[in-house]
Amino acid sequence: MTGDRMTVPAALEMLLAGNRRFTAGTPEHPNQDAARRAAIAPAQSPFAVLFGCSDSRLAAEIIFDRGLGDLFVVRTAGHVVGPEVLGSIEYGVSVLGSPLVVVLGHDSCGAVAATRSAVENGTTAGGYVQDVIERVTPSVLATRAAGRTEGEDFIHAHIRHTVDLLMERSRGLADAVQAGTAAVVGLSYRLADGTARLVTAHGAATPDPLPL
């Protein structure tokens, strides 16, 4: 969306409305034509920054039924956070003016599963995959310490941990949330039915997340 900065509630509702269309099998495929391509060629003004897992089953513009220029997408395996991720998210908020940052996790996440195996069975991975596992480990350890054992518990804990980490490590993002100009939310996506549910939220005018 181009033009004036969208409010946090409007941005979140636009995102979730697109997901409802996707799950219902009635997508509108907005902003995917030649006119939209031409309109945003001079500049972009995405209404949301979406930081998600790199899993091939989580194509953001498809599952949220959006198009060109709508989402500023950042993806890593297991949505693990590094300097490049923080810089990209800060760019989306401070330079492009996006009012909403979304952390998108999902069930059957390979990064979380590999980390659980490493913690529980002492397995290791080669190369930089081990770095991904090490960054997910705090989420797995916290879930186990809380006495939770279901797969969804680990996924939701990792989403919450990622959201909290963004708030802790990015002063610019935390300041924008404090000022009421931005919000950071965590969504959990179900692969089988395509639904995205709110797990956690920092910022004004966001709905209640799922209970712990």
Side-chain angles (χ1 to χ4, degrees):
M1 178 175 178
T2 57
D4 294 337
R5 185 184 180 105
M6 188 180 293
T7 65
V8 168
L12 183 57
E13 175 52 30
M14 181 174 285
L15 196 72
L16 295 179
N19 180 248
R20 290 192 293 268
R21 293 194 300 271
F22 170 70
T23 58
T26 57
E28 297 175 356
H29 306 294
N31 298 331
Q32 297 183 18
D33 57 11
R36 175 65 168 180
R37 183 182 69 225
I40 64 171
Q44 61 173 319
S45 182
F47 71 85
V49 176
L50 195 142
F51 174 38
C53 181
S54 296
D55 194 293
S56 62
R57 297 165 290 184
L58 267 73
E61 285 85 358
I62 294 176
I63 67 176
F64 291 109
D65 191 29
R66 299 310 313 172
L68 298 172
D70 288 332
L71 305 176
F72 190 72
V73 180
V74 183
R75 299 175 70 181
T76 63
H79 51 82
V80 297
V81 177
E84 298 86 353
V85 167
L86 291 167
S88 297
I89 292 173
E90 289 182 349
Y91 182 85
V93 174
S94 64
V95 178
L96 300 181
S98 300
L100 180 67
V101 176
V102 177
V103 173
L104 181 65
H106 65 98
D107 57 354
S108 301
C109 178
V112 174
T115 304
R116 289 183 65 185
S117 179
V119 169
E120 296 167 5
N121 305 316
T123 58
T124 59
Y128 285 101
V129 174
Q130 184 62 31
D131 183 69
V132 173
I133 290 174
E134 289 173 0
R135 296 188 191 204
V136 180
T137 296
S139 302
V140 170
L141 292 176
T143 308
R144 287 165 55 88
R148 298 180 179 272
T149 59
E150 298 298 323
E152 188 174 71
D153 296 330
F154 289 90
I155 298 299
H156 290 180
H158 186 47
I159 293 170
R160 292 187 181 98
H161 174 74
T162 302
V163 168
D164 291 344
L165 195 59
L166 294 182
M167 294 290 293
E168 291 168 7
R169 294 188 61 185
S170 172
R171 173 60 65 84
L173 187 57
D175 287 348
V177 171
Q178 180 66 31
T181 59
V184 184
V185 305
L187 300 180
S188 180
Y189 180 76
R190 286 180 171 175
L191 295 172
D193 62 21
T195 57
R197 300 178 298 156
L198 186 67
V199 172
T200 187
H202 289 266
T206 52
D208 293 333
L210 293 170
L212 290 171

